[in-house]
Amino acid sequence: MILRAILLAITFGFLNAGTFTNPIVDFGPDPWVIQHDGYYYYCRSVGVIEVFKSKKLQDIGRGVRKVVFIPPANTSYSKEIWAPELHHIRGKWYIYFAADDGRNENHRMYVLESTSPQGEYVFKGKITDKTDKWAIDGTVLQLKGKLYFIWSGWEKDHDNKQNLYIAKMSNPWTIEGDRVLISTPTEPWEKNSIPFTPGGINEGPEALVKGNKVYIVYSASGAWNDDYCLGWLVCDNPDNVMSPRCWKKTGPVFTKAEGAYGPGHASFTKSPDQKEDWILYHACLKSGGGFAGRSARIQKFKFVNRDVPAFGRPAKPHIPMPEPSGS
């Protein structure tokens, strides 16, 4: 009787455990999420910048929606708004986004500021180093009380490859000093980018800190093809992130699978109870899905050997998975 009761309890608990299926957002390119005070805030661009608020990670695309930025016409940042990220820095909220005037070679990074994630935002201006070269996919690394800006950019005014750069910040909207090159496409898995960028692509950098290790997880190759994937740079000394020699490259670490073609442009968060690590990324359901086919997905990952992320394989779509713990 006791054994039967235990089996019934296990079965009942399994059947009633919360589950979800991927994709969680049907159109979800370059997804970004941040957790704050019991809520998840999902930031995306659909010509305007939207911020969604939800209690559950798997519900970010169905949360309370607020349009927080409508670009004005006829400016250097009116068109092609890409990959907005929402960051909480020193008590205020900042959105970093790439935009141009309709000509891709004029893409630059810009910053918005607010006192709340879905509040009224003030345009702070362009964020750039003194070279003022093409720039997209900017993110902020907050480390030991200091701020660093990391982005994908061109070495020259016109280029056939995208590199990763880092620079110090004097405040959340200003770069201080010179940019430092920390990665350039050198490996075959970074060069599946013909015809648009034949020299290869490093983009979508995102910080992931574990103990004394600082990871920059980035996307490689062209986002329009099936071979888009993730690699990472790791620096073992948090005091030395401005040194190119500190960064060691590994990859690919997350690649295509059936129903998840071109997985990339990830961000990272915790489960509601803070016990689990989760990755949010985009991928296409079908091979050749291209830019229009990108949907947002989540899955749990772990750290092995204490401080090495193990993302595994992209989860199969439409298969029930346990929801994040504490949901």
Side-chain angles (χ1 to χ4, degrees), residues 200-219:
I201 294 176
N202 288 178
E203 65 180 18
E206 302 299 347
L208 183 61
V209 180
K210 184 69 171 178
N212 285 324
K213 286 190 175 180
V214 182
Y215 292 89
I216 301 299
V217 181
Y218 67 95
S219 302

Side-chain angles (χ1 to χ4, degrees), residues 284-298:
C284 295
L285 287 170
K286 297 181 179 180
S287 176
F291 290 123
R294 295 173 292 175
S295 54
R297 298 107 181 281
I298 57 171

Side-chain angles (χ1 to χ4, degrees), residues 52-65:
F52 294 76
K53 178 182 179 181
S54 64
K55 289 290 290 185
K56 293 187 175 184
L57 178 59
Q58 64 267 34
D59 292 340
I60 56 174
R62 300 190 296 269
V64 177
R65 171 182 172 270

Side-chain angles (χ1 to χ4, degrees), residues 73-119:
N74 303 316
T75 73
S76 61
Y77 52 93
S78 296
K79 299 182 179 181
E80 297 297 327
I81 296 177
W82 293 352
E85 292 192 4
L86 174 65
H87 291 258
H88 190 228
I89 304 173
R90 298 173 180 173
K92 291 189 177 182
W93 292 87
Y94 296 90
I95 293 177
Y96 300 85
F97 66 96
D100 66 22
D101 58 1
R103 301 174 62 193
N104 177 52
E105 60 266 32
N106 292 331
H107 256 111
R108 298 295 188 275
M109 289 299 306
Y110 297 90
V111 189
L112 306 172
E113 180 189 69
S114 180
T115 57
S116 64
Q118 292 186 309

Side-chain angles (χ1 to χ4, degrees), residues 3 28 38 46 51 73 79 82-83 86 90 175 207 213 223 233 240-241 244 249 258 288 295 308 310 327:
L3 178 60
V46 287
V51 175
K79 299 182 179 181
W82 293 352
L86 174 65
R90 298 173 180 173
I175 285 177
K213 286 190 175 180
L233 306 173
N240 208 25
V241 294
K249 181 182 295 187
E258 183 179 356
S295 54
V308 179
S327 296

